[in-house]
């Protein structure tokens, strides 16, 4: 008896679960869709898409699901339709027993805006993202002769490194590219920083950091019109 009791309990639990799941499935088939509740994350930082647009994408791509049995709606299809949108990074769709579908949207986050070749963003994953007519993200702007390959492979990692550093994130506003050489335009002061090629960028940035903190900050941000980092182990400045 002692040997068979665990077996009997396991079978009884299994049968009970089948009954519960069968009952729950039957109840779910009776639940109609009452509507959709949309949450878009990161709207305080970027506002490329809102609830109204998400609802429109679903209606155009899948159809009207209000009034449908919730179990008859293909949640995977809804998610695939949503992530085809150029500003949506990911979408999660699920329903609750009150009949509402919940749609959680994660927007793509640009880190760099390119104003060449018609204009586009490079997002936090290093992928091309089209500009939006609705919203302009406040990120570093790059102009000049910039191929998409250079933007994604070289310029994007450099800008990401700037963004991770509070000092550079607060200082650098624009980048001008000429023959894959960089000119940095700061937010303060009326001068430009001739950065040159990206090779050796860490050494250049540390050299520049020291100069800005120990040199320009003492002599004044408007003393020079050009700061050149292209020379080995030295900074050459041109006064106004």
């Amino acid at each position: 008896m002692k040997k068979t009791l665990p077996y009997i309990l396991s079978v009884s639990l299994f049968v009970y679960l089948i009954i519960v799941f069968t009952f729950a499935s039957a109840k779910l088939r009776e639940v109609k869709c009452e509507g959709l509740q949309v949450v878009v994350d990161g709207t305080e930082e970027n506002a490329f898409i809102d609830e109204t647009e998400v609802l429109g994408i679903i209606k155009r791509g899948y159809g009207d699901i209000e009034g449908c049995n919730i179990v008859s709606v293909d949640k995977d299809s809804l998610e695939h339709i949503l992530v085809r949108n150029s500003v949506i990074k990911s979408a999660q769709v699920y329903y609750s027993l009150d009949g509402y579908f919940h749609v959680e949207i994660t927007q793509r986050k640009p880190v760099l805006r390119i104003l060449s070749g018609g204009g586009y963003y490079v997002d936090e994953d290093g992928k091309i993202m089209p500009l939006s007519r609705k919203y302009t993200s406040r990120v570093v702007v790059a102009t000049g002769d910039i191929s998409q390959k250079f933007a994604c492979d070289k310029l994007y990692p450099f800008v990401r490194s700037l963004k991770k550093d509070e000092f550079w994130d607060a200082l650098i506003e624009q980048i001008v590219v000429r023959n894959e050489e960089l000119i940095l335009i700061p937010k303060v002061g009326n001068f430009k920083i001739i950065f040159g090629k990206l090779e050796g960028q860490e050494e250049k940035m540390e050299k520049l950091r020291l100069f800005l903190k120990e040199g320009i900050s003492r002599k004044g941000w408007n003393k020079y019109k050009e700061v050149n980092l292209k020379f080995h182990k030295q900074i050459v400045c041109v006064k106004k």
Side-chain angles (χ1 to χ4, degrees), residues 32-234:
K32 305 291 185 181
C33 175
E34 298 291 337
L36 296 95
Q37 296 180 346
V38 178
V39 175
V40 180
D41 83 330
T43 52
E44 68 284 349
E45 183 179 356
N46 292 298
F48 290 107
I49 196 165
D50 57 25
E51 178 181 354
T52 301
E53 290 171 305
V54 172
L55 293 174
I57 293 169
I58 291 174
K59 191 166 186 177
R60 290 190 300 271
Y62 192 91
D64 192 354
I65 67 174
E66 287 194 31
C68 298
N69 292 335
I70 57 174
V71 294
S72 69
V73 177
D74 188 339
K75 300 190 297 297
D76 290 339
S77 292
L78 291 178
E79 292 174 354
H80 291 154
I81 288 167
L82 288 166
V83 296
R84 285 204 298 263
N85 186 278
S86 61
V87 302
I88 295 177
K89 182 177 181 177
S90 65
Q92 184 177 6
V93 179
Y94 60 93
Y95 56 72
S96 51
L97 294 179
D98 59 2
Y100 281 90
F101 275 88
H102 301 267
V103 183
E104 297 179 356
I105 299 296
T106 300
Q107 299 181 87
R108 294 174 66 184
K109 297 178 181 179
V111 297
L112 172 64
R113 185 183 179 192
I114 306 294
L115 295 184
S116 305
Y120 54 90
Y121 291 111
V122 181
D123 74 4
E124 62 183 347
D125 298 315
K127 296 180 180 178
I128 298 297
M129 176 181 172
L131 299 180
S132 170
R133 294 180 180 178
K134 176 184 175 182
Y135 177 77
T136 300
S137 183
R138 297 182 65 181
V139 293
V140 173
V141 174
T143 61
D145 183 19
I146 308 170
S147 67
Q148 288 193 1
K149 180 174 176 57
F150 181 77
C152 295
D153 294 349
K154 297 292 184 67
L155 204 53
Y156 153 75
F158 176 66
V159 173
R160 283 282 284 178
S161 68
L162 297 181
K163 191 171 180 61
K164 291 178 181 178
D165 188 301
E166 290 184 3
F167 181 78
W168 299 124
D169 188 39
L171 183 67
I172 304 303
E173 181 175 43
Q174 183 180 345
I175 300 173
V176 180
V177 181
R178 296 172 182 167
N179 298 319
E180 298 191 356
E181 292 194 353
L182 276 54
I183 300 172
L184 310 182
I185 310 298
K187 295 176 184 178
V188 294
N190 189 23
F191 64 97
K192 58 184 178 180
I193 301 165
I194 310 299
F195 192 83
K197 297 284 187 180
L198 281 166
E199 287 75 15
Q201 65 186 58
E202 292 183 3
E203 180 182 346
K204 288 181 180 180
M205 295 307 290
E206 285 308 308
K207 184 169 58 174
L208 178 61
R209 186 197 303 269
L210 182 62
F211 174 75
L212 293 177
K213 287 185 175 181
E214 301 297 330
I216 278 189
S217 61
R218 292 179 180 177
K219 295 182 179 180
W221 288 85
N222 294 312
K223 185 176 181 63
Y224 303 106
K225 66 177 181 180
E226 183 178 295
V227 175
N228 196 324
L229 304 176
K230 292 176 66 174
F231 299 94
H232 184 59
K233 292 186 177 181
Q234 61 178 317

